[in-house]
Amino acid sequence: IDIFYSDGFLKLGSMHWLASWRQAAVYKRRRYTRMLKVFIAIALLLTCMFNLKLLIDAKLKYEQHKDIDVDIDDVAYFHRSMLEQKPTVDSINLELVSSKNLVSVKVNNKLVYEDQQAEAGRGIHVVVLNQANGEMMGSQVFDTFIEGQDELMIQYLKAINDENRMIAFAVKDEASMNLGRKTKIYLETLGSKMVGRLGWRSTWVMLCYNNGQLINEEMKSTEVNNEWAQPIHMHAHVKPLTVKDYSSCKWLDSIESDRRREFCSRYEGYGSLCDCQHPQEISFPTRKLENNRIYDVPVAVIASNRPQYLYRMLRSLLQADGVNKNNIIVFIDGHFEETMEVSRLFGVKGIYHTPSGVKSSRISQHYRSSLSATFDLNPDAEFMIIIEEDLDVAPDFFSYFNQVFPLFQSDDSIYCVSAWNDHGYHHSSDDNSLLYRVESMPGLGWMLRRSLFVEELEPNWPGPEKPWDWDMWMRHPEIRRGRECIIPDVSRTFHFGTSGVNMNNYFHRLYFQNHRINEERNVKLKNVSLLSKDKYEVLMHKLIMRSSLLDHTRSPCDDDFVSPASPSGQSYVGFFKMDDANHMTDFLAILKCLKLWDLDARGLHKSSFRTFVNHRHLIFVGYPASPYSLYKPVGLELLKVATDKNR
């Protein structure tokens, strides 16, 4: 090509000038054509490289999250959902049912909510509906037959963010027994004209907007105490209203904000999570642990259809020092989309589990499946941490396990490490650096060894036909085989759940509400190495020998059993009747007097028990069952328990 711009070309004779000019033009066109082809080839090459990179990134993301039942490509999911908005309906036709055995909500002849379980679902059912299309955005059941549930209902209603949301209320069985005046007044602010007259076994339905505008309401009563009011089938027709536009919220431009917008457009009842001005955080700064030995230990979260519980628990867990979000897996017992979306909201992996069994056996099968799947998905893991969806965790939750981990690795006599103290109430736990060995399995946030599960627990796990509680089974002497668990004096978890198969608000108030949870970071646990099997025996003997003797003329039920004037900073020992390791009468009576867990025997070590009373460390020794009985002074009368005094 260069020859057409060389001196030789200009020296051509005039005879050949025209032909040469035409030839030069042809060569120029060919040159431009070749340049264009080169440019196109480069563009195609760059396009191929870009697409290849996208495929590689997608493959890496798939490999990272291939165990999740849903696609968690956040950006793609958000934009896809924006394109898949359902069309606006012309009208919303609703039907609400309230009766003894059934509550239901239909929208445009489609059943969106129903509860007809036998011996379950008593109380007021609250269903939140999208005011634009009638889709269900949340639901809760509040058993207002039991004290305290009405207060929880107020909390849930106040957590509804959009003032134009439709709210449906329907009573199943009975709801008046402990529906307090404060709650009735709040329901009246939402538009109710009848709830103040709600009586024994009345049926009641109400449909309103969150701003207090009543749509419709009906109530039926009964005059006969042993009968229920007639069922209610209430119909309502409403025009669709606009919904809150979360795309206009001035949140940070991030994947977390995309997930938040998507979640808030589909679900309600999460309060300030969806606040445009001051949203609750879902992403937290990483607080590293020095010498973190458990960073790669997987964490299994046992969940079901309680998404608000999971939301609270994950916020707590992800703020604990040393957390590794990539190692957390939420196992959901059933195909509950809202629970899965809560996991997605925090960028945590989630897996659905097909339920098997009913009630306690269903929970037991879910645990077995979750533990097995965790070890299968983490073939190099020799340990795992298990936590339930209804637990808060302390800021040093992982620090606690990290400090005890070397002991757990080296001592086969340790059955588990638990973050929970069954007797760790505000009045009975005092030292957040103190640890115990106990002959029980507390659960509620605990660490499990792979070899124990694979070789002993999994092969013998109760089948779905057996209505057993998994934790009670694990506490059985034939399963535990003399091994003990390590527990803290001050728990590292708090059981906030007030509803469940084995839980209600009354039971929670009695045994769980007053539990203490550690609130400090960077707690240095004391004498961890002394918790090994042999060293702990030496420690116990030394503690009892150095302890002051309690006044055995006083009963543990007496308010002044341990005087606040007693010297602090030392231990006290008392001896009570325990003929053998299975004789628990006096022990349970002492627990009842001290307002501790008294439904069964927990927290014992060789027929002895440690706790705090008035900030004084006490050791109770069962005589003559305990080997520490040799320290009982000759002639000393055993502690007498006034069994007529109880809670």
Side-chain angles (χ1 to χ4, degrees):
I1 296 176
D2 291 341
I3 64 171
F4 299 107
Y5 292 93
S6 66
D7 291 341
F9 173 78
L10 297 175
K11 294 176 182 179
L12 291 175
S14 60
M15 179 182 250
H16 304 287
W17 182 85
L18 181 60
S20 300
W21 179 83
R22 289 177 177 174
Q23 186 179 16
V26 171
Y27 279 117
K28 284 184 179 180
R29 285 195 299 272
R30 289 178 178 175
R31 182 187 65 172
Y32 292 143
T33 300
R34 290 172 183 171
M35 292 176 64
L36 181 60
K37 289 181 178 179
V38 171
F39 176 80
I40 293 174
I42 294 174
L44 288 174
L45 179 62
L46 292 174
T47 302
C48 291
M49 293 175 64
F50 179 76
N51 289 335
L52 182 61
K53 183 179 184 301
L54 289 179
L55 290 173
I56 293 174
D57 290 343
K59 176 65 174 177
L60 291 175
K61 178 162 288 193
Y62 170 78
E63 290 296 329
Q64 182 180 1
H65 303 292
K66 61 184 178 182
D67 52 334
I68 309 177
D69 278 0
V70 294
D71 173 20
I72 69 168
D73 186 342
D74 302 287
V75 177
Y77 181 91
F78 176 71
H79 288 293
R80 183 172 67 251
S81 66
M82 293 297 101
L83 294 174
E84 294 176 352
Q85 290 288 329
K86 290 180 172 59
T88 303
V89 296
D90 295 330
S91 65
I92 303 176
N93 302 315
L94 301 108
E95 179 184 350
L96 278 64
V97 175
S98 167
S99 68
K100 172 188 174 183
N101 299 314
L102 168 69
V103 296
S104 66
V105 177
K106 287 184 179 180
V107 178
N108 294 332
N109 294 320
K110 178 183 177 182
L111 186 66
V112 298
Y113 180 85
E114 182 182 57
D115 187 329
Q116 55 180 346
Q117 302 176 78
E119 302 179 357
R122 178 181 60 190
I124 299 178
H125 293 243
V126 181
V127 181
V128 184
L129 302 170
N130 188 311
Q131 66 270 31
N133 52 32
E135 289 189 352
M136 188 176 73
M137 304 187 71
S139 65
Q140 290 279 296
V141 184
F142 300 95
D143 186 2
T144 49
F145 184 85
I146 297 176
E147 183 180 356
Q149 284 284 299
D150 60 336
E151 298 173 6
L152 296 177
M153 183 168 66
I154 292 178
Q155 293 177 19
Y156 178 71
L157 294 172
K158 288 183 176 180
I160 299 174
N161 190 263
D162 191 334
E163 65 177 10
N164 292 323
R165 295 289 186 219
M166 285 191 294
I167 310 175
F169 298 85
V171 167
K172 180 182 177 185
D173 190 358
E174 212 296 304
S176 68
M177 176 63 73
N178 278 289
L179 186 65
R181 182 59 188 156
K182 178 181 176 181
T183 304
K184 292 179 179 179
I185 291 174
Y186 188 85
L187 292 173
E188 289 170 354
T189 65
L190 291 176
S192 176
K193 308 296 183 183
M194 303 178 180
V195 71
R197 304 193 303 272
L198 186 69
W200 174 252
R201 291 180 174 174
S202 295
T203 50
W204 173 66
V205 294
M206 181 176 78
L207 185 65
C208 64
Y209 291 107
N210 194 34
N211 59 15
Q213 180 183 349
L214 178 66
I215 299 173
N216 202 357
E217 183 180 22
E218 290 186 22
M219 178 187 294
K220 293 183 179 180
S221 302
T222 178
E223 300 297 330
V224 183
N225 286 337
N226 62 349
E227 295 182 0
W228 283 260
Q230 291 297 309
I232 295 175
H233 293 261
M234 186 185 79
H235 295 268
H237 307 276
V238 299
K239 292 183 177 180
L241 301 180
T242 58
V243 298
K244 189 172 183 177
D245 183 10
Y246 290 103
S247 64
S248 63
C249 294
K250 296 180 180 179
W251 295 330
L252 293 176
D253 187 11
S254 64
I255 291 177
E256 286 79 11
S257 294
D258 289 344
R259 291 199 298 253
R260 187 195 300 269
R261 289 188 181 92
E262 168 62 19
F263 188 88
C264 292
S265 69
R266 297 180 61 190
Y267 302 105
E268 267 288 7
Y270 294 85
S272 61
L273 167 71
C274 303
D275 191 300
C276 280
Q277 302 300 322
H278 305 287
Q280 196 170 50
E281 293 295 329
I282 57 175
S283 181
F284 309 99
T286 302
R287 297 176 182 270
K288 296 183 179 180
L289 283 181
E290 185 177 349
N291 191 22
N292 192 345
R293 310 172 188 87
I294 64 169
Y295 186 76
D296 294 323
V297 171
V299 178
V301 178
I302 310 300
S304 58
N305 189 24
R306 299 187 292 182
Q308 276 86 10
Y309 282 5
L310 180 63
Y311 175 79
R312 172 173 169 174
M313 191 282 296
L314 286 177
R315 289 197 81 252
S316 171
L317 184 66
L318 293 174
Q319 294 182 73
D321 296 350
V323 64
N324 180 358
K325 186 166 70 172
N326 294 328
N327 276 0
I328 300 173
I329 306 176
V330 177
F331 292 93
I332 305 169
D333 188 26
H335 195 87
F336 300 113
E337 292 185 5
E338 185 175 351
T339 307
M340 180 64 81
E341 292 305 316
V342 171
S343 302
R344 178 204 298 277
L345 177 68
F346 290 97
V348 171
K349 292 175 284 188
I351 295 178
Y352 291 120
H353 167 236
T354 302
S356 175
V358 295
K359 295 186 177 180
S360 293
S361 66
R362 172 174 172 170
I363 296 174
S364 178
Q365 296 311 301
H366 182 43
Y367 265 87
R368 185 203 59 77
S369 174
S370 301
L371 302 185
S372 179
T374 301
F375 282 129
D376 288 344
L377 294 169
N378 298 272
D380 296 329
E382 294 300 323
F383 300 86
M384 67 177 294
I385 294 173
I386 303 99
I387 185 169
E388 290 83 354
E389 65 187 345
D390 54 0
L391 298 177
D392 286 329
V393 305
D396 72 334
F397 177 78
F398 291 105
S399 174
Y400 165 78
F401 284 111
N402 187 50
Q403 293 181 65
V404 183
F405 187 62
L407 175 67
F408 193 21
Q409 285 180 303
S410 61
D411 190 347
D412 291 336
S413 71
I414 298 177
Y415 193 47
C416 76
V417 177
S418 174
W420 176 261
N421 180 357
D422 286 304
H423 304 298
Y425 297 90
H426 280 284
H427 65 277
S428 60
S429 60
D430 199 73
D431 188 346
N432 60 11
S433 66
L434 183 62
L435 303 175
Y436 305 134
R437 286 180 70 110
V438 296
E439 298 165 351
S440 58
M441 208 297 291
L444 299 182
W446 55 292
M447 182 177 280
L448 171 68
R449 184 184 281 110
R450 174 192 285 269
S451 59
L452 173 64
F453 178 73
V454 173
E455 298 170 11
E456 300 182 39
L457 300 181
E458 188 174 29
N460 300 297
W461 200 275
E465 73 282 357
K466 297 180 179 179
W468 295 354
D469 292 315
W470 68 272
D471 50 346
M472 298 299 289
W473 173 76
M474 282 192 64
R475 294 185 186 112
H476 197 278
E478 293 182 3
I479 304 299
R480 188 172 55 81
R481 298 181 184 178
R483 292 165 293 196
E484 295 181 300
C485 287
I486 304 297
I487 67 167
D489 179 59
V490 180
S491 296
R492 263 54 179 189
T493 56
F494 175 77
H495 190 289
F496 63 80
T498 58
S499 63
V501 173
N502 299 311
M503 182 64 64
N504 59 50
N505 198 67
Y506 174 77
F507 186 62
H508 184 271
R509 284 192 172 193
L510 196 62
Y511 287 104
F512 292 92
Q513 183 170 284
N514 197 39
H515 256 271
R516 181 182 175 188
I517 181 174
N518 176 55
E519 298 177 353
E520 298 181 24
R521 299 185 183 273
N522 305 318
V523 175
K524 176 67 174 177
L525 302 179
K526 64 173 63 170
N527 301 324
V528 175
S529 62
L530 299 184
L531 272 291
S532 64
K533 182 177 181 180
D534 295 334
K535 291 182 179 180
Y536 193 71
E537 290 311 302
V538 175
L539 174 65
M540 286 295 294
H541 282 280
K542 287 183 178 179
L543 281 174
I544 296 173
M545 284 191 294
R546 297 171 181 174
S547 295
S548 298
L549 194 63
L550 286 168
D551 184 350
H552 281 54
T553 64
R554 298 182 183 275
S555 167
C557 293
D558 296 340
D559 294 334
D560 59 350
F561 174 58
V562 178
S563 171
S566 303
S568 60
Q570 66 181 67
S571 298
Y572 295 82
V573 62
F575 298 87
F576 66 95
K577 183 180 180 181
M578 182 180 275
D579 295 332
D580 55 56
N582 297 315
H583 180 243
M584 299 295 174
T585 303
D586 284 58
F587 174 58
L588 292 176
I590 290 174
L591 295 179
K592 184 180 290 290
C593 287
L594 298 179
K595 296 181 174 62
L596 305 179
W597 178 274
D598 59 4
L599 300 183
D600 57 4
R602 300 185 186 181
L604 285 167
H605 169 78
K606 294 188 180 299
S607 301
S608 70
F609 166 66
R610 299 172 65 183
T611 188
F612 282 84
V613 175
N614 285 332
H615 306 288
R616 273 69 179 172
H617 177 228
L618 270 57
I619 305 173
F620 291 92
V621 177
Y623 180 89
S626 174
Y628 313 128
S629 297
L630 61 91
Y631 298 107
K632 173 186 170 295
V634 176
L636 178 72
E637 290 192 10
L638 300 176
L639 288 168
K640 288 184 172 59
V641 183
T643 55
D644 59 325
K645 292 186 178 181
N646 51 45
R647 297 182 190 276

